Structure formats: structure tokens, C-alpha cells
Amino acid sequence: GNTLVVYTSDQGFYLGEHGWYDKRFMYEESLGTPLLVRYPPTIAAGQVAEEMVLNLDFAPTFLDFAGVPIPEEMQGSSLRPLLEGRPQTDWRRSVYYHYYEYPHGWHNVKKHYGVRTDRYKLIHWVNRGQSGELDELYDLERDPWELKNLARSRAHAALRARLRRELRKLVADAVGL
């Protein structure tokens, strides 16, 4: 058939990991979202794409498969090349996360934002710690459960600075600067 079938859901929910419940923190357990796509005419069954995708990519993808031009001002990118197994050398290398609802709402999750790459994650907490702000830095390859915060490690200072620059770029891109 010619029907694009997409299965996804909300992000994960903590069941005690990191001592939390809910899902608004930037830790791995709730950052990911399942995504399965089926379109037999052009998507091979059983393939897996490892690239980082966002829910912002859904609308451009649907428009692309429908043959409708994607508006230039639309955020996100069509997943069609990835779904069809075509390598993309210019695909995103990092993703931006931002939780901003505190102190409103009943979740009581403090404001934070961050950047995730294929290997590293930097979480920036706003108004936390004695200096007013606090970072968390994780090597997801060596520490997939995010138990060892490297943000204060001198050996990782250059990495932290690089991720902070990438985060500033992603924030500027998100707000259209």
C-alpha cells in the first residue's frame, strides 16, 4: 500500500532511577522516545537508524512522504533519507533539551536545559547550587546510567567548554537568533 504507518509514544517515565519518578528530567531513561515507521514501497523492513531524531522531524517527514513542499520556516528535518537507508553526512550531531515550567505546575522539576551528542550529555541547571547554577556532564559510552558527573573534572574542562558552546548555538538556533 501507499500508507505511511508511524508508531511512537510519549517519552519514558522514571520508576525510581536517579531517585526520581515522572519524566521531565534530561536523564536517558526519559529522554528517548520509541519510533517505528513502516512504508513498504521505500523503507526496508528491519532496518535501524542510529541518528538522533526529534519529534520536530515528524511534520517535515509527513509532508515529504505526501509530496508536499516543506516550509522553510518549519523546524526539523525530514526523516525520509534516514528511513530509506540513505546516509546523511550533514545530519544533526546534537540535540537540545529544555524544561522551563518551574515554579509553575505541580511537577516541581527545576528549570534545566542541555545538549546531548552521540556520546556526551551536558545538563545545565538554572538557579541550583551555591553559585546559582550547576552543570552535569556525562560520558554516555563509559557511564550509560549517568552516575558519575564529570562537570567539575579538570580532565573534562575542554569537553565541558565545547558542549557549552554547542548548547549556546542550539539555544540561539531554537529562538531564531
Side-chain angles (χ1 to χ4, degrees):
N2 62 354
T3 302
L4 178 71
V5 177
V6 178
Y7 171 83
T8 190
S9 75
D10 202 359
Q11 74 270 28
F13 200 89
Y14 296 103
L15 297 174
E17 298 90 351
H18 302 279
W20 299 113
Y21 72 97
D22 210 85
K23 60 186 175 184
R24 285 150 183 87
F25 297 95
M26 195 185 167
Y27 302 115
E28 288 298 291
E29 291 86 357
S30 74
L31 191 59
T33 303
L35 176 62
L36 300 170
V37 181
R38 178 171 161 72
Y39 187 65
T42 63
I43 300 174
Q47 78 174 0
V48 176
E50 297 293 333
E51 290 85 356
M52 289 184 277
V53 302
L54 301 166
N55 58 4
L56 291 172
D57 299 327
F58 294 170
T61 301
F62 301 154
L63 293 173
D64 192 3
F65 273 99
V68 176
I70 301 167
E72 214 174 288
E73 66 273 10
M74 184 174 276
Q75 291 182 338
S77 300
S78 174
L79 301 175
R80 188 172 192 166
L82 303 178
L83 296 170
E84 293 179 345
R86 292 182 270 140
Q88 300 297 297
T89 57
D90 61 344
W91 194 258
R92 74 175 55 94
R93 306 236 186 272
S94 62
V95 294
Y96 169 59
Y97 178 88
H98 192 156
Y99 184 79
Y100 51 86
E101 206 170 74
Y102 186 83
H104 307 291
W106 60 274
H107 304 292
N108 206 30
V109 174
K110 304 286 187 187
K111 292 179 183 179
H112 65 289
Y113 57 98
V115 58
R116 187 197 190 286
T117 68
D118 61 339
R119 180 170 177 177
Y120 300 104
K121 180 186 297 175
L122 178 72
I123 303 171
H124 178 75
W125 293 91
V126 179
N127 298 324
R128 292 285 301 259
Q130 291 183 0
S131 66
E133 297 186 357
L134 176 70
D135 282 351
E136 293 181 43
L137 172 64
Y138 298 102
D139 180 338
L140 299 171
E141 185 177 290
R142 293 187 176 165
D143 180 21
W145 301 110
E146 299 165 292
L147 299 175
K148 183 169 175 52
N149 182 0
L150 304 172
R152 297 195 190 280
S153 161
R154 289 179 195 238
H156 294 88
L159 171 63
R160 180 179 175 202
R162 182 173 57 86
L163 289 171
R164 283 196 123 194
R165 284 190 303 274
E166 178 67 10
L167 181 55
R168 282 193 296 275
K169 178 187 171 299
L170 291 171
V171 169
D173 289 348
V175 297
L177 295 178

